[in-house]
């Protein structure tokens, strides 16, 4: 089976933030460290050659440290992602190794700046051969829409279940894992999911600037209603802004199309 990849990426500062702490890796492109997002979605469309990589990174840390962290992660992913097709390790092992490599980069940058409050989430989609791999650390999310069914493939690394179990309300869940944790404090255990590719599948990677503002039901409806990846990205970001836009929002939509043989 031959597939065509249609993908788009959008990034907006939001309505309440003065700076953009998000970054991404899309078609070997990342944002500069100091940026104001994208004016409009960037897109790609091509025959799938067996190797595609996408990533979203949501930085945190105050001052300019969030931008530093997400840029360090995105830069590492960009440089490493170019080598995925020729890498000797299985994709799952490679992706967990990439997370550790990005963590080292973020920690190194924190050390250079004298900051102990720098970090970034990471959620990545790697299409390899007949399979899709999703890898994440933190609470940036990956979803898949298949035959009308909407499913989260990533795993949130937060203390939300603990709060619910203790009956604690009114506090936003805190991250239990993210890039920027020194190895002597914790060994990161990224979540990795693997599944077969299917024609018609749609994948979504996003920072919590989308999921905090737009419900899963709304996201699913917009993905089902919009036929083009670029329009879908713009519609999702527009809805996040309509609902308050309290954070930076980054969205990548990837659609898998079957190519009919003649």
């Amino acid at each position: 089976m031959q597939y065509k990849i249609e993908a788009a990426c959008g990034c907006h500062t939001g309505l309440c933030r003065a700076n953009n702490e998000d970054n991404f890796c899309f078609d070997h492109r990342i944002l500069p460290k100091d940026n104001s997002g994208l004016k409009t979605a960037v897109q790609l469309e091509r025959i799938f050659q067996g190797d595609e990589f996408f990533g979203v990174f949501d930085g945190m840390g105050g001052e300019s440290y969030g931008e530093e962290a997400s840029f360090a992660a995105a830069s590492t992913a960009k440089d490493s992602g170019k080598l995925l097709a020729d890498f000797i390790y299985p994709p799952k092992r490679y992706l967990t190794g990439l997370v550790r490599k990005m963590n080292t980069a973020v920690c190194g940058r924190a050390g250079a700046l004298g900051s102990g409050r720098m970090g970034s989430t990471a959620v990545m989609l790697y299409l390899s051969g007949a399979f899709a791999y999703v890898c994440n650390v933190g609470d940036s999310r990956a979803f898949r829409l298949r035959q009308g069914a909407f499913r989260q493939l990533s795993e949130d690394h937060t203390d939300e279940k603990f709060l619910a179990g203790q009956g604690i309300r009114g506090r936003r869940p805190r991250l239990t894992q993210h890039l920027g944790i020194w190895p002597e404090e914790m060994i990161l255990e990224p979540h990795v999911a693997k599944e077969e590719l299917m024609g018609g599948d749609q994948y979504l990677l996003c920072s919590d600037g989308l999921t905090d503002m737009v419900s899963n039901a709304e996201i699913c409806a917009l993905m089902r209603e919009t036929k083009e990846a670029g329009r879908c990205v713009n519609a999702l970001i527009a809805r996040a802004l309509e609902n308050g836009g309290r954070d930076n929002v980054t969205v990548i939509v990837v659609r898998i199309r079957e190519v009919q043989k003649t």
Side-chain angles (χ1 to χ4, degrees):
M1 179 65 65
Q2 190 172 37
Y3 297 112
K4 180 170 68 173
I5 303 295
E6 298 175 4
C9 175
C11 183
H12 197 286
T13 304
L15 303 178
C16 301
R17 297 290 186 93
N19 58 328
N20 182 36
E21 296 182 320
D22 283 3
N23 216 308
F24 58 76
C25 185
F26 181 86
D27 199 22
H28 305 302
R29 173 180 177 177
I30 67 173
L31 290 173
K33 182 173 59 180
D34 298 315
N35 69 85
S36 300
L38 296 171
K39 292 183 179 180
T40 188
V42 293
Q43 303 180 63
L44 70 83
E45 180 176 338
R46 56 181 170 239
I47 297 298
F48 179 49
Q49 300 295 329
D51 184 72
E52 294 283 354
F53 179 88
F54 306 92
V56 168
F57 310 96
D58 183 356
M60 53 203 167
E63 299 182 9
S64 64
Y65 294 141
E67 294 99 304
E68 292 277 359
S70 62
F71 179 74
S75 299
T76 304
K78 175 187 175 183
D79 294 341
S80 300
K82 294 177 181 178
L83 305 175
L84 278 170
D86 299 322
F87 207 79
I88 61 173
Y89 294 133
K92 281 190 176 182
R93 183 176 173 185
Y94 177 82
L95 289 168
T96 56
L98 177 57
V99 166
R100 295 189 181 98
K101 192 173 181 180
M102 290 189 294
N103 188 60
T104 298
V106 175
C107 287
R109 191 61 185 148
L113 294 172
S115 169
R117 301 184 301 118
M118 178 188 294
S120 177
T121 68
V123 60
M124 298 167 286
L125 171 67
Y126 177 42
L127 308 180
S128 177
F131 297 96
Y133 298 84
V134 166
C135 178
N136 82 283
V137 58
D139 61 354
S140 292
R141 293 177 179 174
F143 299 91
R144 187 249 293 137
L145 179 63
R146 173 179 288 175
Q147 298 176 347
F150 190 67
R151 178 186 174 193
Q152 182 175 334
L153 300 178
S154 57
E155 180 178 289
D156 290 351
H157 295 134
T158 71
D159 62 358
E160 182 175 6
K161 291 182 179 179
F162 171 79
L163 295 179
Q166 297 296 314
I168 301 173
R169 299 180 180 179
R171 175 169 79 73
R172 180 183 174 87
R174 295 170 181 162
L175 294 178
T176 55
Q177 290 195 75
H178 58 79
L179 302 177
I181 297 178
W182 296 93
E184 56 268 27
E185 297 178 12
M186 175 191 292
I187 300 299
L188 296 182
E189 297 181 359
H191 172 75
V192 182
K194 174 187 176 182
E195 63 176 29
E196 289 191 39
L197 284 178
M198 285 185 59
D201 282 353
Q202 297 185 51
Y203 291 93
L204 167 67
L205 304 180
C206 61
S207 60
D208 62 3
L210 177 69
T211 51
D212 283 352
M213 294 288 99
V214 187
S215 68
N216 284 1
E218 288 180 283
I219 292 172
C220 178
L222 287 170
M223 291 183 70
R224 293 174 67 177
E225 292 166 3
T226 50
K227 295 182 179 180
E228 298 177 2
R231 290 186 178 182
C232 184
V233 163
N234 289 332
L236 290 168
I237 292 176
R239 184 63 57 85
L241 299 179
E242 290 169 8
N243 292 351
R246 292 195 300 266
D247 200 355
N248 312 140
V249 54
T250 300
V251 175
I252 293 177
V253 170
V254 181
R255 294 184 167 179
I256 314 298
R257 306 292 193 193
E258 289 187 10
V259 177
Q260 299 296 328
K261 295 182 178 181
T262 57

